[in-house]
Amino acid sequence: DSGVTQTPKHLITATGQRVTLRCSPRSGDLSVYWYQQSLDQGLQFLIQYYNGEERAKGNILERFSAQQFPDLHSELNLSSLELGDSALYFCASTSSPGHGQETQYFGPGTRLLVL
Amino acid sequence: DAKTTQPPSMDCAEGRAANLPCNHSTISGNEYVYWYRQIHSQGPQYIIHGLKNNETNEMASLIITEDRKSSTLILPHATLRDTAVYYCIVRVNSGNTPLVFGKGTRLSVIA
């Protein structure tokens, strides 16, 4: 158990819909990363937040957005869903980035199926 | 793109050492070598990392060549539960560097 929690575990929805994925980092971790894993693209970085602020952006679509709240949990919002958005979505957390050796610990993921 | 090259698959007999190679010939002086694994569709699990010295923890050992252009992850006594995809990743240890995953090595531990 990494200490990172994600809900829900599974999500089935239809094209055009909007969903929200939730991530709670390890206790004391300030930074949250979101990754997407699809069959054809592998594990890809989407976006990073640190203490409520966006820090880095990867291959995140404009239809996707994220935020980190004062209690440090993060939400990934996916809108206008397409079949190709079906994937596993993972979040990872770290402590203070840039201070010492930063290791990312991953949650169990949310499996999204768009029908 | 990932900066590492790994064999796509390997087999290992249960109880034997599993040696997973990784080539990172373009590694920079400030980049660390990280290893993660992913069992089935679970979240990637951190194994070990190192800069230039060999490292060992309760899960594995990491051997980095002197020129740092390649490394080997060693699982000393592989079990069936070690069957997974193993990812070798090079990255700097700064606050804004996400992990860049390649295709990894699919290790199958055989009874």
Side-chain angles (χ1 to χ4, degrees):
Chain A
D1 184 358
S2 67
V4 179
T5 60
Q6 290 187 247
T7 56
K9 287 187 179 179
H10 303 278
L11 200 48
I12 302 175
T13 187
T15 54
Q17 295 298 305
R18 172 190 168 97
V19 297
T20 297
L21 313 183
R22 181 187 169 106
C23 168
S24 294
R26 296 185 314 160
S27 177
D29 282 0
L30 301 178
S31 191
V32 170
Y33 296 75
W34 285 97
Y35 293 83
Q36 178 193 55
Q37 186 174 31
S38 58
L39 280 176
D40 54 347
Q41 294 292 329
L43 266 159
Q44 288 202 315
F45 166 69
L46 295 178
I47 196 164
Q48 179 207 0
Y49 277 80
Y50 172 70
N51 205 19
E53 294 188 1
E54 181 184 305
R55 269 289 181 99
K57 246 180 178 177
N59 298 323
I60 188 165
L61 300 171
E62 285 192 12
R63 300 184 285 108
F64 296 1
S65 64
Q67 53 184 330
Q68 187 177 27
F69 294 85
D71 67 351
L72 301 176
H73 90 271
S74 178
E75 292 181 356
L76 180 66
N77 301 297
L78 315 177
S79 61
S80 302
L81 285 167
E82 302 175 358
L83 296 177
D85 298 327
S86 296
L88 282 164
Y89 291 84
F90 294 104
C91 76
S93 75
T94 67
S95 53
S96 302
H99 297 276
Q101 299 181 350
E102 179 193 326
T103 297
Q104 294 182 26
Y105 294 91
F106 284 77
T110 293
R111 183 181 293 275
L112 173 66
L113 180 60
V114 182
L115 299 175
Chain B
D1 290 341
K3 302 178 186 178
T4 62
T5 304
Q6 299 178 252
S9 63
M10 293 181 63
D11 291 339
C12 178
E14 189 177 21
R16 304 297 295 267
N19 297 288
L20 292 93
C22 179
N23 184 291
H24 32 79
S25 58
T26 60
I27 192 170
S28 302
N30 62 345
E31 287 183 314
Y32 286 72
V33 179
Y34 276 78
W35 284 85
Y36 281 78
R37 72 181 182 183
Q38 187 174 25
I39 298 172
H40 194 43
S41 295
Q42 298 177 21
Q45 179 188 23
Y46 166 76
I47 301 174
I48 199 167
H49 75 283
L51 183 61
K52 51 186 176 182
N53 297 321
N54 298 336
E55 303 287 344
T56 295
N57 63 20
E58 64 280 2
M59 289 184 68
S61 294
L62 173 61
I63 308 298
I64 303 174
T65 58
E66 194 168 338
D67 63 6
R68 302 210 321 126
K69 293 185 176 182
S70 65
S71 61
T72 301
L73 178 74
I74 300 173
L75 308 178
H77 305 286
T79 70
L80 298 179
R81 287 176 295 182
D82 292 320
T83 293
V85 178
Y86 287 77
Y87 297 98
C88 170
I89 300 166
V90 296
R91 64 185 287 266
V92 296
N93 258 349
S94 81
N96 296 335
T97 52
L99 297 169
V100 178
F101 289 84
K103 297 186 186 303
T105 296
R106 182 172 298 278
L107 175 69
S108 298
V109 180
I110 303 165

